[in-house]
Amino acid sequence: MRQHWLSFSLIFIGYSTGVIFNDIIQPLLVREVIDLLSSGGDRAVIYGQVITLAFYMIGIVIIYNIGFRTGDYANAYFQSKVMERLYNFTFSRLLEHSYHFFSNNFSGSIVAKSKRFKKSFETLIDVASFQIWFSLVSLTGVVVVLFLNVPALAWMFLAWASVYLTVTFFFIKRKIFYDSLEAQADSVVTARLSDAILNILNIKIFSADWREISAFKAVTSDEEIKRRKAWYFDNFQNVVKAVMMFILQTAVLFLSLRLWYTGALTLGTFILIQTYMVTIFMILWNLGRSLSKAVKSLTEMQEVVDIFDIVPDILEPEKPEILRIKEGKIVFDKVSFTYKGGISVLDNFNLEIEPGERIGLVGHSGAGKSTITKLLLRFTDTSSGRILIDSQELRNLTQNDLRGVISYVPQESILFHRTIRKNIAYGKFNATDLEIQEVARRAHAHDFITAMPNGYDTIVGERGVKLSGGERQRVAIARAMIKNAPIIILDEATSSLDSVSESYIQAALGELMKGKTTIVVAHRLSTIQKMDRIVVLKRGQIVEMGSHQELIGKKGVYAELWSHQSGGFLSEQGVVF
């Protein structure tokens, strides 16, 4: 907000001017007109005086309109700018968190909270500028006028307002509890809706429409109950405030009549007081509702602020080293990794990979293959030990620098809901069309891309659903190729391809891996026969290491895996499925 202090100031200056001239000064002129018209004096003289007052009133109308419009334009500029900054700030802070954070939180819930954060700021500023500020300026003006004209009414109003505001703040404090429950329930509903939409294929395959509808009804029912309780609480406080206003209105009316009867009030002042009372009632009624909305907005914003307060589990170094990785020599030095629940995956793991060497990682599920790649990418950190690339320890590099020298193709490649061109170019932000088409050809994706009506400008759909699994994988491989990093990690990168496509891709990957350090996580052992070395893992330990032929000749764990494999899929016990 400090970045836009001028527009922020103009909001309150403009609205203050408008409120003072419209709600305070204009009724005073109306009082003068009424007193003149009811005075019984010379009509010609009175007429001239009223005409003068009429010109004053025209000036007042012009001034308060200028004030309100200045506030409106300043508010529109200020809110729009700050909301943009808030959204950008939220996005950048979310991206500070590791992959682990996002895998443990519903994406739909995060999106809902982020949108509410921005929207809640808009509500908060609207309440602060339109309702709360209007109210404070109007009430101050009314109290000043009452003290100057009818001190007894001013004291009565101050005493009543003190009680009213005390009651209002008591209700607001209690309402925080109900608003918090309602916001949490709304996040659950959004997350459930998002989860179902993202998994629509599973719902259709398993004919689970009725189950999902039933589950969705359960969370919306819970949300409805909590929302209704919050609204009922609102209604209850409105009843209390209405009774208090009725008491004040009745007391002011009879006191005003009594003062008029005794001659202490003129007719114009009597009407002025009633006008002010109507203004006060509307102000205080709206103030109570506005404060409740403001607190609800803060409650909803708190959900995102709580995320901001979470310390990312992967921290950047305070003084990062300048990236010097070029060759790609990788050293795992006494690396151990244990999950927070105490499950050990790697224990004193040691491995050296020479620059340009091609390594295959083999083992049953849970052997530690994926953990090794996650540690290398710093999706998670070692419990002990260190990992070095070209003698630089990973913890001393920024995450972006580290991942900038690694091309990673996961087993399930997820694409952006953008064009094929933009998905491939994501590996190199300044890639030319010629480069994009070249890597697409090498990945054997060019033919199917150009066969589409929009070619490289085809939108692939959310997560790439408009493409087949093999097509998605080839686009992902092209994306990795165009990055041209010295280190390549392939997590069964050809698993989604048919036999013909796989043979093409294997040839393309062979070209891609030349001169680059490569780690291939393999479930289908046929994909790693030509690796320089194959590392066989079991319970986080290296049990065998060598070329395909050497390991087959040893007739050990690798040979047993090879003999039990069918279609590249291994069970935990080596049973063929």
Side-chain angles (χ1 to χ4, degrees):
M1 290 168 62
R2 287 196 299 268
Q3 303 292 325
H4 308 284
W5 63 270
L6 179 59
S7 57
F8 181 73
S9 302
L10 285 175
I11 293 172
F12 296 96
I13 293 172
Y15 287 153
S16 296
T17 302
V19 169
I20 290 171
F21 278 84
N22 182 58
D23 294 348
I24 307 301
I25 297 178
Q26 186 169 244
L28 287 172
L29 288 180
V30 172
R31 180 190 67 173
E32 295 301 318
V33 171
I34 292 173
D35 283 343
L36 282 172
L37 294 176
S38 61
S39 63
D42 184 270
R43 295 175 69 89
V45 174
I46 293 173
Y47 179 76
Q49 292 173 330
V50 169
I51 290 297
T52 301
L53 290 174
F55 279 109
Y56 286 152
M57 291 184 68
I58 291 172
I60 288 171
V61 170
I62 293 172
I63 292 172
Y64 80 64
N65 269 290
I66 291 174
F68 282 135
R69 299 300 77 77
T70 299
D72 287 344
Y73 276 99
N75 204 4
Y77 178 85
F78 171 77
Q79 284 195 39
S80 181
K81 285 292 185 182
V82 176
M83 286 167 68
E84 176 195 18
R85 295 173 65 89
L86 273 179
Y87 227 173
N88 292 336
F89 175 78
T90 302
F91 185 66
S92 62
R93 287 297 297 269
L94 285 173
L95 292 188
E96 290 178 5
H97 289 284
S98 67
Y99 176 78
H100 178 75
F101 168 82
F102 292 98
S103 62
N104 283 281
N105 289 276
F106 276 118
S107 58
S109 178
I110 294 174
V111 171
K113 291 175 182 178
S114 300
K115 288 180 71 67
R116 278 207 303 270
F117 183 63
K118 181 194 72 167
K119 189 67 178 176
S120 295
F121 172 80
E122 180 183 9
T123 302
L124 189 63
I125 294 300
D126 280 344
V127 167
S129 57
F130 287 114
Q131 276 86 38
I132 296 177
W133 184 245
F134 275 34
S135 301
L136 290 176
V137 174
S138 295
L139 289 176
T140 302
V142 167
V143 169
V144 169
V145 172
L146 287 178
F147 267 113
L148 292 174
N149 290 271
V150 194
L153 279 177
W155 285 114
M156 176 190 291
F157 171 71
L158 279 181
W160 178 89
S162 299
V163 176
Y164 179 87
L165 290 175
T166 300
V167 171
T168 298
F169 281 112
F170 169 77
F171 278 120
I172 289 172
K173 188 175 180 180
R174 290 288 300 162
K175 195 172 184 299
I176 293 175
F177 171 74
Y178 292 102
D179 288 340
S180 179
L181 291 180
E182 183 184 355
Q184 292 171 15
D186 178 69
S187 294
V188 171
V189 170
T190 304
R192 187 79 193 192
L193 178 63
S194 175
D195 190 43
I197 291 173
L198 288 174
N199 288 278
I200 190 65
L201 183 59
N202 285 330
I203 295 174
K204 298 300 182 182
I205 289 173
F206 292 99
S207 302
D209 302 54
W210 64 272
R211 276 186 285 172
E212 291 300 321
I213 291 172
S214 177
F216 192 71
K217 284 182 177 179
V219 294
T220 55
S221 175
D222 179 65
E223 181 194 28
E224 186 276 329
I225 291 170
K226 291 173 180 175
R227 180 174 58 241
R228 180 157 37 90
K229 284 183 178 179
W231 290 0
Y232 278 175
F233 188 80
D234 266 344
N235 292 339
F236 175 67
Q237 67 173 323
N238 288 340
V239 170
V240 174
K241 290 189 290 186
V243 171
M244 293 183 67
M245 287 185 176
F246 172 76
I247 292 171
L248 177 66
Q249 190 172 18
T250 303
V252 168
L253 177 62
F254 280 101
L255 180 58
S256 299
L257 287 171
R258 180 65 184 173
L259 291 173
W260 173 81
Y261 179 74
T262 60
L265 289 183
T266 64
L267 178 61
T269 303
F270 177 83
I271 294 174
L272 174 68
I273 292 171
Q274 299 309 310
T275 302
Y276 278 169
M277 283 302 103
V278 172
T279 301
I280 288 172
F281 291 149
M282 291 186 65
I283 288 171
L284 290 177
W285 183 269
N286 290 330
L287 180 61
R289 296 176 67 89
S290 300
L291 289 173
S292 295
K293 286 175 66 177
V295 171
K296 183 176 181 179
S297 297
L298 289 171
T299 302
E300 291 178 342
M301 294 174 80
Q302 185 64 43
E303 291 184 313
V304 175
V305 175
D306 288 340
I307 295 176
F308 294 161
D309 289 341
I310 297 173
V311 178
D313 49 354
I314 306 297
L315 297 174
E316 298 284 24
E318 292 184 5
K319 295 181 179 179
E321 294 180 2
I322 297 173
L323 184 71
R324 298 188 302 273
I325 295 174
K326 293 181 179 179
E327 295 182 346
K329 180 176 181 177
I330 302 171
V331 177
F332 290 85
D333 181 23
K334 299 178 181 179
V335 171
S336 296
F337 177 76
T338 303
Y339 284 111
K340 291 183 178 180
I343 301 174
S344 178
V345 181
L346 298 177
D347 184 21
N348 198 32
F349 179 82
N350 294 280
L351 178 65
E352 286 193 20
I353 304 173
E354 295 299 323
E357 188 178 12
R358 300 175 300 172
I359 295 292
L361 296 181
V362 176
H364 291 299
S365 177
K369 305 184 299 296
S370 295
T371 300
I372 290 172
T373 62
K374 288 178 181 177
L375 289 171
L376 192 55
L377 287 159
R378 275 205 84 195
F379 287 161
T380 189
D381 274 333
T382 59
S383 302
S384 63
R386 57 183 188 156
I387 303 174
L388 301 98
I389 303 179
D390 290 350
S391 301
Q392 286 193 281
E393 189 174 348
L394 303 195
R395 290 177 183 267
N396 296 332
L397 301 171
T398 66
Q399 296 175 61
N400 284 336
D401 280 351
L402 169 64
R403 293 165 193 160
V405 296
I406 301 174
S407 288
Y408 175 59
V409 181
Q411 184 173 4
E412 182 186 358
S413 295
I414 305 300
L415 304 182
F416 289 98
H417 182 45
R418 301 170 190 173
T419 64
I420 293 176
R421 185 191 313 279
K422 289 183 178 179
N423 271 284
I424 295 177
Y426 205 78
K428 183 180 179 182
F429 75 94
N430 59 348
T432 65
D433 287 345
L434 187 62
E435 290 175 308
I436 292 169
Q437 291 180 27
E438 174 61 23
V439 294
R441 286 190 175 92
R442 291 171 61 193
H444 292 271
H446 180 75
D447 289 343
F448 84 76
I449 294 173
T450 53
M452 294 180 172
N454 295 318
Y456 283 85
D457 293 319
T458 300
I459 300 291
V460 301
E462 190 173 21
R463 299 166 66 90
V465 294
K466 292 184 179 180
L467 303 181
S468 69
E471 290 170 343
R472 282 199 302 272
Q473 201 74 333
R474 280 180 273 176
V475 170
I477 291 170
R479 182 170 58 190
M481 286 179 174
I482 205 168
K483 188 175 182 180
N484 196 30
I487 299 172
I488 301 168
I489 299 177
L490 305 173
D491 188 354
E492 198 60 51
T494 61
S495 62
S496 298
L497 304 177
D498 56 77
S499 299
V500 175
S501 296
E502 181 181 357
S503 64
Y504 288 137
I505 297 302
Q506 290 287 8
L509 291 178
E511 291 295 320
L512 172 66
M513 291 187 288
K514 283 182 179 179
K516 300 181 186 299
T517 306
T518 305
I519 297 175
V520 180
V521 176
H523 301 286
R524 292 197 305 196
L525 303 186
S526 60
T527 62
I528 59 167
Q529 292 181 64
K530 296 181 181 180
M531 295 293 103
D532 299 321
R533 253 193 310 165
I534 296 173
V535 177
V536 184
L537 300 172
K538 186 175 183 180
R539 295 176 183 173
Q541 298 289 331
I542 298 175
V543 293
E544 288 181 354
M545 189 159 52
S547 67
H548 172 74
Q549 291 300 329
E550 289 172 347
L551 294 177
I552 291 295
K554 287 183 179 181
K555 300 187 183 299
V557 176
Y558 182 80
E560 183 181 357
L561 291 173
W562 180 263
S563 64
H564 282 88
Q565 187 174 97
S566 175
F569 187 89
L570 296 172
S571 74
E572 195 65 42
Q573 295 77 27
V575 178
V576 178
F577 285 86

